[in-house]
Amino acid sequence: MLFSARNLVLGLWLAHVSSCAYNATVCGSAPYTSPNGDLNFNANAWNADSQGFSCLSVQTSPPAFDSTWAWSSNPNQVHSYPHVKFKLPDLPVLLSNISALSLSAQWSMGPGSTPLPALSVDISGLADADTTANVAFDMFADPNPANAQNETLAATEIMIWLGYVGTPVPLGFSSKRTCFNQMLGTLEFILYQGKNSRGTDVFTWMATTNETSFSAEISPLLQYLWRNGLVPSNSSLGLVEFGSEAYHSESNVTFSATSFDAELVTGAAPNLTIASLPTACSDAGSARRQGSWLLSRVSILGILGYVLYLI
Ligand SMILES: *[C@@H]1O[C@H](CO)[C@@H](O)[C@H](O)[C@H]1NC(C)=O
Ligand SMILES: *[C@@H]1O[C@H](CO)[C@@H](O)[C@H](O)[C@H]1NC(C)=O
Ligand SMILES: *[C@@H]1O[C@H](CO)[C@@H](O)[C@H](O)[C@H]1NC(C)=O
Ligand SMILES: *[C@@H]1O[C@H](CO)[C@@H](O)[C@H](O)[C@H]1NC(C)=O
Ligand SMILES: *[C@@H]1O[C@H](CO)[C@@H](O)[C@H](O)[C@H]1NC(C)=O
Ligand SMILES: *[C@@H]1O[C@H](CO)[C@@H](O)[C@H](O)[C@H]1NC(C)=O
Ligand SMILES: *[C@@H]1O[C@H](CO)[C@@H](O)[C@H](O)[C@H]1NC(C)=O
């Protein structure tokens, strides 16, 4: 069974790779919207300079895209975020009115201008090109529903990193593990928190493994934030996107995405068992703002858990 499912996935991918019959290619910041209007693609070179480019080629059915880019300047800055935006009719939606949000995607990344086979990452080829990039879902939220649908106006950005190459760091990162974490099934996500230059509160959930084939109901990651008071509980979710933040590469890199989807079920958020904020942190960076509040939530279990973690 597994074997044939794998062959099917491989077959679909090879069809995708070999046909190379794209319906559209966009570069820079010009968007392309799929014929039925539910997907919006953007090469999103929002921080472009003269030493690079970002292009994105779309196949509309089944939806897939390949993005070829290179940025040889500053490796510490994101230059582009080639991505697909899911035009879900129920957005914006109150965070507390998200019954479920299922996200899925498959991806590959390698050097050069053509896509790699399914679910593969050419680590040594990307290292040769000195590539720094992540692969991530990106979401925006704000108490004002209209602002939640605008990347630059939204008060809160919530990222889920499925993987990375090179050493990109999320805002609020320190070389130490932070103390906020949440499981989705068997996958562990570590939370980082920082502010970007616009003052947006950015929360990054980083998978502890590279997930080239991801499918999960991610509302626990959202509930963790608003039930613990990190994000205002009256915020609405306005945008859901999937792509790759491109920081740096000396030569062309191609990121490919397929089997991506977002399914939102509205209705009162279920009372999930959400871990409370930890009582102590190896990295003060992400907990500092909540410090005094954290201490009021000290529990024997929390301390025990932390001691066990230290061991
Ligand atoms: C997309 O491209 C495929 C393959 O060339 C073609 O069959 C299909 O009609 C195109 N779809 C649209 C909406 O242009
Ligand atoms: C959201 O809640 C905050 C308090 O946490 C309040 O100041 C703000 O007015 C509320 N915004 C809306 C749109 O309800
Ligand atoms: C987002 O807000 C900015 C600042 O008000 C505005 O310039 C931009 O056009 C808005 N974007 C969209 C997609 O509405
Ligand atoms: C993902 O793979 C890259 C390249 O091998 C590696 O540097 C990175 O540490 C991996 N990330 C995780 C979270 O394991
Ligand atoms: C890099 O990609 C661009 C855009 O696809 C292409 O025009 C260029 O020829 C590629 N460069 C190399 C060295 O393959
Ligand atoms: C929550 O979702 C339900 C089901 O879609 C909808 O009927 C209701 O109006 C929503 N409530 C709020 C406060 O948005
Ligand atoms: C969650 O728990 C609260 C407080 O106990 C309750 O008011 C609410 O109806 C519950 N919600 C759901 C979806 O079960």
Side-chain angles (χ1 to χ4, degrees), residues 163-292:
Y164 59 85
V165 296
T167 51
V169 290
L171 286 164
F173 183 83
S174 109
S175 55
K176 290 177 197 159
R177 172 193 166 111
T178 71
C179 55
F180 302 163
N181 65 80
Q182 174 72 43
M183 301 297 292
L184 288 184
T186 56
L187 299 184
E188 186 184 20
F189 292 83
I190 311 286
L191 179 65
Y192 297 93
Q193 176 184 0
K195 270 190 195 295
N196 67 17
S197 54
R198 281 195 300 271
T200 312
D201 258 320
V202 182
F203 295 89
T204 303
W205 288 104
M206 256 180 109
T208 54
T209 47
N210 283 312
E211 296 300 321
T212 52
S213 182
F214 177 79
S215 181
E217 198 286 286
I218 65 94
S219 69
L221 301 185
L222 301 178
Q223 290 205 17
Y224 191 98
L225 299 176
W226 63 266
R227 288 200 190 277
N228 282 317
L230 295 169
V231 169
S233 61
N234 61 3
S235 299
S236 290
L237 177 70
L239 293 170
V240 180
E241 305 169 346
F242 175 69
S244 172
E245 284 187 310
Y247 292 67
H248 181 263
S249 185
E250 294 296 335
S251 52
N252 284 6
V253 167
T254 296
F255 164 72
S256 302
T258 187
S259 304
F260 41 78
D261 197 20
E263 283 178 28
L264 171 65
V265 182
T266 59
N271 289 322
L272 300 176
T273 307
I274 295 295
S276 55
L277 290 171
T279 53
C281 224
S282 56
D283 167 27
S286 42
R288 200 176 289 129
R289 284 175 62 233
Q290 307 289 329
S292 52

Side-chain angles (χ1 to χ4, degrees), residues 23-298:
N23 293 96
T25 294
V26 288
C27 295
S29 56
Y32 171 78
T33 301
S34 60
N36 61 4
D38 62 353
L39 297 171
N40 183 266
F41 299 87
N42 203 319
N44 199 208
W46 62 270
N47 188 22
D49 58 32
S50 59
Q51 294 169 64
F53 71 95
S54 177
C55 288
L56 181 149
S57 296
V58 181
Q59 209 177 55
T60 53
S61 184
F65 70 84
D66 299 319
S67 170
T68 298
W69 60 271
W71 298 107
S72 59
S73 60
N74 191 341
N76 300 316
Q77 278 185 14
V78 176
H79 291 92
S80 58
Y81 176 59
H83 68 268
V84 58
K85 182 182 294 178
F86 301 95
K87 293 227 181 153
L88 305 171
D90 288 324
L91 294 180
V93 62
L94 279 169
L95 291 177
S96 58
N97 209 29
I98 293 177
S99 176
L101 180 57
S102 298
L103 301 180
S104 52
Q106 297 190 346
W107 55 275
S108 72
M109 199 188 295
S113 312
T114 49
L116 280 186
L119 315 184
S120 57
V121 181
D122 181 348
I123 293 163
S124 65
L126 291 167
D128 288 347
D130 199 13
T131 304
T132 301
N134 66 24
V135 175
F137 280 94
D138 200 8
M139 293 174 274
F140 293 85
D142 195 283
N144 174 331
N147 288 356
Q149 298 205 281
N150 183 310
E151 286 99 337
T152 59
L153 295 179
T156 301
E157 177 174 1
I158 301 165
M159 302 195 82
I160 303 174
W161 286 26
L162 303 185
Y164 59 85
V165 296
T167 51
V169 290
L171 286 164
F173 183 83
S174 109
S175 55
K176 290 177 197 159
R177 172 193 166 111
T178 71
C179 55
F180 302 163
N181 65 80
Q182 174 72 43
M183 301 297 292
L184 288 184
T186 56
L187 299 184
E188 186 184 20
F189 292 83
I190 311 286
L191 179 65
Y192 297 93
Q193 176 184 0
K195 270 190 195 295
N196 67 17
S197 54
R198 281 195 300 271
T200 312
D201 258 320
V202 182
F203 295 89
T204 303
W205 288 104
M206 256 180 109
T208 54
T209 47
N210 283 312
E211 296 300 321
T212 52
S213 182
F214 177 79
S215 181
E217 198 286 286
I218 65 94
S219 69
L221 301 185
L222 301 178
Q223 290 205 17
Y224 191 98
L225 299 176
W226 63 266
R227 288 200 190 277
N228 282 317
L230 295 169
V231 169
S233 61
N234 61 3
S235 299
S236 290
L237 177 70
L239 293 170
V240 180
E241 305 169 346
F242 175 69
S244 172
E245 284 187 310
Y247 292 67
H248 181 263
S249 185
E250 294 296 335
S251 52
N252 284 6
V253 167
T254 296
F255 164 72
S256 302
T258 187
S259 304
F260 41 78
D261 197 20
E263 283 178 28
L264 171 65
V265 182
T266 59
N271 289 322
L272 300 176
T273 307
I274 295 295
S276 55
L277 290 171
T279 53
C281 224
S282 56
D283 167 27
S286 42
R288 200 176 289 129
R289 284 175 62 233
Q290 307 289 329
S292 52
W293 193 71
L294 279 175
L295 288 175
S296 70
R297 299 196 120 210
V298 167

